[in-house]
Amino acid sequence: GSHDTMTYCLDKSSAVSGNESKLVKFLNKCLPCIVHPIIMKWSITQVLTVTEQLEAGVRYLDFRIAHKANDPSMNLYFVHMVYTTVTVQDILWEILRWLETHPQEVVIIACRNFDGLTKRLHNHLVACIKEIFQCKLCPRNVSMRSFFSHFKRMIHHNEIFVWKLFDIFYFQCVFNLPFAALEIEYLMCHFLIFVSGKFFVAGINLTENLRYILVHPFGSLKKMTLQSLPCLKIWIKQQYPGPKRKCINIIAGDFIGNNDFVKDVIELNTKI
């Protein structure tokens, strides 16, 4: 999986999301030439396009859906502190084209956040998903076993307004360097007790706070992630896939084109 899948196309000219803190919005308004570039450095989590991610082996896409403030249109975008340049519809069509050329692949799309979406916009998103994917959507009320036995091509999972096919938890580790590996192990061991036997996402993405950013004004999320990859790689290789307690089934990370992240996750299947 890729965490914040669509941040490779964040728009440098976009306004800061309305969900951000008042302090961030105030600083960006007062010192845009200084603050906005810093925000961009800590917002981008991926560099590969969605098609490149799928080609690399990603099968779980993390979509943060948003409607821009004061936008009279029905256009929906993606957001991570700032908005993307592409619309949700454009990306859904891109995924469909990829699925057409890979008929035995399963892609899980998790839509969340819904920054600025009204009920009307929610319904519009649902209509777009149904119109674009049609019969490739996993039907409602189907068991995981029967789903995979028929090689359906698409699961659409949503936490709020579309049908729930399977309960998919996204568990994100928040920790400080250089104790990443230790804290992941501790948090995962305690978390897995509650989700054994279900789909869940182990989000191994590092999460900075405002204080960390202010202390590291010349840093970036990419720099922080890359320096932690060696210990994250060790943790991934120690995992076992499956539905049992303390097993892993989806792992999502940042900058999935770097290192051997995808390869290491896929190779866990050899342990089954």
Side-chain angles (χ1 to χ4, degrees):
S2 59
H3 167 250
D4 266 310
T5 302
M6 295 304 303
T7 56
Y8 63 86
C9 60
L10 292 177
D11 188 353
K12 295 179 181 179
S13 63
S14 290
V16 174
S17 167
N19 279 345
E20 294 306 313
S21 68
K22 292 181 179 179
L23 178 58
V24 170
K25 289 187 283 189
F26 174 76
L27 292 174
N28 185 61
K29 185 177 181 179
C30 295
L31 301 166
C33 295
I34 297 174
V35 175
H36 206 79
I38 294 175
I39 290 175
M40 290 297 296
K41 288 194 300 180
W42 290 98
S43 299
I44 296 173
T45 67
Q46 306 295 339
V47 294
L48 300 183
T49 67
V50 69
T51 296
E52 290 171 338
Q53 291 180 37
L54 291 169
E55 289 291 338
V58 167
R59 295 295 180 268
Y60 172 89
L61 304 175
D62 176 23
F63 285 171
R64 315 295 177 94
I65 311 293
H67 182 259
K68 294 181 180 179
N70 304 316
D71 183 356
S73 75
M74 297 284 284
N75 290 336
L76 298 176
Y77 299 87
F78 303 95
V79 66
H80 187 218
M81 295 188 76
V82 297
Y83 302 103
T84 60
T85 55
V86 300
T87 66
V88 171
Q89 280 181 287
D90 289 339
I91 295 302
L92 295 180
W93 282 113
E94 185 176 341
I95 295 170
L96 175 65
R97 289 192 292 271
W98 187 87
L99 287 169
E100 292 285 2
T101 59
H102 299 80
Q104 290 192 338
E105 293 294 335
V106 175
V107 176
I108 300 174
I109 300 178
C111 298
R112 48 201 185 114
N113 278 45
F114 308 111
D115 182 1
L117 265 69
T118 61
K119 183 177 181 179
R120 181 178 174 221
L121 289 168
H122 276 284
N123 293 335
H124 173 63
L125 175 59
V126 174
C128 289
I129 292 169
K130 290 181 177 180
E131 176 189 359
I132 292 171
F133 295 112
Q134 298 184 24
C135 63
K136 289 182 176 62
L137 285 170
C138 177
R140 298 172 186 242
N141 302 320
V142 63
S143 70
M144 198 181 302
R145 182 182 298 277
S146 62
F147 171 82
F148 283 107
S149 67
H150 287 89
F151 285 99
K152 295 291 183 181
R153 301 179 201 174
M154 186 79 189
I155 302 174
H156 175 260
H157 164 72
N158 189 280
E159 296 178 359
I160 297 180
F161 70 102
V162 186
W163 55 96
K164 273 193 172 184
L165 299 170
F166 314 117
D167 285 326
I168 303 183
F169 300 85
Y170 192 104
F171 183 68
Q172 180 172 313
C173 294
V174 182
F175 46 80
N176 299 308
L177 297 174
F179 304 108
L182 292 176
E183 296 193 28
I184 287 180
E185 189 65 37
Y186 174 80
L187 291 170
M188 286 301 171
C189 284
H190 284 70
F191 180 71
L192 295 183
I193 294 172
F194 301 102
V195 297
S196 178
K198 297 185 178 184
F199 261 152
F200 76 96
V201 183
I204 61 172
N205 46 289
L206 302 178
T207 303
E208 79 293 340
N209 53 32
L210 183 58
R211 179 185 176 187
Y212 187 91
I213 294 174
L214 294 175
V215 174
H216 301 83
F218 301 107
S220 68
L221 189 57
K222 185 174 184 178
K223 183 178 179 180
M224 184 175 75
T225 299
L226 294 184
Q227 75 182 55
S228 69
L229 284 179
C231 66
L232 293 177
K233 182 182 179 73
I234 293 172
W235 182 84
I236 291 172
K237 285 182 172 292
Q238 293 173 341
Q239 305 312 304
Y240 288 85
K244 297 180 181 180
R245 181 176 173 178
K246 296 187 178 180
C247 284
I248 289 289
N249 45 59
I250 301 175
I251 302 178
D254 291 333
F255 303 102
I256 57 93
N258 291 279
N259 203 272
D260 297 321
F261 170 74
V262 175
K263 176 174 172 288
D264 291 340
V265 174
I266 292 175
E267 282 185 350
L268 290 178
N269 292 307
T270 62
K271 297 182 179 182
I272 297 178

